[in-house]
Amino acid sequence: EEALSVSITEELLKFLVVILILYPNKNFDEPFDGIVYAVFVGMGFATAENLAFVMQGSASLAILRMLSAVPAHFVFAVIMGYYLGKAKTEKKNKFLYLLLSLLIPIIFHALYDYFLFLENIPGIWVGGFVTLLVAFFVAKNSIIEHLKASPFKNKD
C-alpha cells in the first residue's frame, strides 16, 4: 500500500509539472522531446529527494539512493516521456497515450518500491533490482524508437 501511494504521488507530481508547464510549449514538436522534458523533471525530483535525505543526516542512504533511486527515476521518466511524446505528436489515441504516460511509470515505480519496502523478507530487494532492469530495457527501447522517429533526423 505504501509503495503504491508513494509511486502515485511522485509520478503524478512529475506528470503534472510536464503536462502543465512543458507539454504546451511550442518547442515540444517531436516525440523525443517528451523524453527530454520528462527526464529533466524526473532528475530534478530525484535531486531534491536525495537532498532531503542528506539534510536528514543520512549520507549512506543518499549514496544508496544515488545508485538505485536516481536511475529508477530516470527510467520511469523516460517511459513517461515516451508516451507523452506519442500523445503530443500523434493524431490518434492522445488520451490513451496520456493515460499510459502516467500509468506505466506508476506500475514500475510501485513494483520497484514494493520490493524495497519489504525488509522482513531477506533478499526480496532483488525484485526491485529486476524491476529496475526491466524498466531500463523498456526505457532504452523507447529512446531508440523516438530517435528513429525524429522528423528532424538527417536535416543537417
Side-chain angles (χ1 to χ4, degrees):
E1 185 181 319
E2 183 183 0
L4 188 58
S5 64
V6 167
S7 65
I8 289 171
T9 303
E10 292 184 0
E11 296 305 325
L12 183 60
L13 181 64
K14 293 184 281 187
F15 174 82
L16 288 173
V17 169
V18 176
I19 205 75
L20 295 175
I21 298 170
L22 301 165
Y23 191 85
N25 189 311
K26 67 176 173 54
N27 294 311
F28 189 155
D29 57 359
E30 72 164 299
F32 195 76
D33 288 344
I35 292 173
V36 172
Y37 294 148
V39 165
F40 269 96
V41 171
M43 292 297 85
F45 181 86
T47 300
E49 197 176 48
N50 266 8
L51 282 172
F53 281 106
V54 171
M55 296 304 179
Q56 292 174 1
S58 185
S60 60
L61 181 58
I63 291 169
L64 183 63
R65 290 182 52 78
M66 177 182 71
L67 299 173
S68 65
V70 173
H73 281 293
F74 173 80
V75 295
F76 304 152
V78 168
I79 294 167
M80 178 182 287
Y82 169 80
Y83 288 105
L84 286 170
K86 288 183 90 61
K88 179 76 176 197
T89 60
E90 292 195 11
K91 302 283 186 254
K92 294 181 180 178
N93 302 319
K94 284 189 182 293
F95 179 77
L96 175 64
Y97 290 135
L98 287 173
L99 184 64
L100 291 173
S101 74
L102 186 57
L103 196 58
I104 293 177
I106 286 173
I107 291 167
F108 273 116
H109 194 152
L111 282 170
Y112 170 78
D113 282 353
Y114 176 76
F115 289 115
L116 297 183
F117 290 170
L118 286 177
E119 295 173 348
N120 58 338
I121 304 173
I124 197 75
W125 60 268
V126 171
F129 179 74
V130 170
T131 301
L132 183 57
L133 204 57
V134 170
F136 172 80
F137 282 106
V138 171
K140 179 179 137 290
N141 290 335
S142 298
I143 290 169
I144 290 167
E145 182 182 322
H146 274 353
L147 282 175
K148 286 180 181 175
S150 173
F152 304 107
K153 188 171 67 172
N154 300 327
K155 282 199 169 185
D156 296 2

